[in-house]
Amino acid sequence: MSPQNGSLMAPADLVHTFEGLLAAAPASVREARSLVRRELPGWGAEDLVDDCVLIVSELVTNAVRHGGAACALRLGGDGAHVYGELFDPGTGAPRMREADMEATGGRGLQIVDALAAEWGVSWPESGGKIVWFVLGGGCLPYGALHRASGAFA
């Protein structure tokens, strides 16, 4: 599914939402993990916490390394699934790489791809990028959270 051709849920279907700004600093990765661990259990999404923590860790790490400035994390869901977006102002396109067995990095998007039901990248007209993902049963298409709480861009 891509952001352009997925069907959209009504904003009322998003029972829970969270948004937060994260500094372009390594400590933001730990902060983002804490936010996920704090928010998702209250949404009835306890089974998705570990996967969401890993995905958010990888995306925030990439944003801190390559985005160049603060990033914004947005999460939403209904207990059965979680939709997430990470916006950063960087212009570089995220891409999966083949890391050799000795490499200590380069596997972040492979982890995202393995854990997420769907994920992708969108390019706001105002610049930067949004890396989005869906976790859990069924599929919360791209745009549902975006329409529920307003655009990053």
Side-chain angles (χ1 to χ4, degrees), residues 78-138:
D78 63 3
H81 53 269
V82 172
Y83 172 78
E85 293 180 346
L86 189 79
F87 169 82
D88 77 67
T91 57
R95 60 181 169 74
M96 266 196 287
R97 300 185 305 178
E98 289 293 325
D100 72 35
M101 296 300 286
E102 304 300 318
T104 58
R107 294 180 182 86
L109 289 179
Q110 291 176 358
I111 292 170
V112 173
D113 190 59
L115 296 176
E118 300 285 340
W119 73 277
V121 181
S122 64
W123 304 94
E125 289 182 24
S126 60
K129 66 185 158 295
I130 298 169
V131 181
W132 58 269
F133 65 91
V134 179
L135 280 173

Side-chain angles (χ1 to χ4, degrees), residues 65-80:
R65 285 186 182 157
H66 307 292
C71 57
L73 174 65
R74 183 180 290 161
L75 300 171
D78 63 3

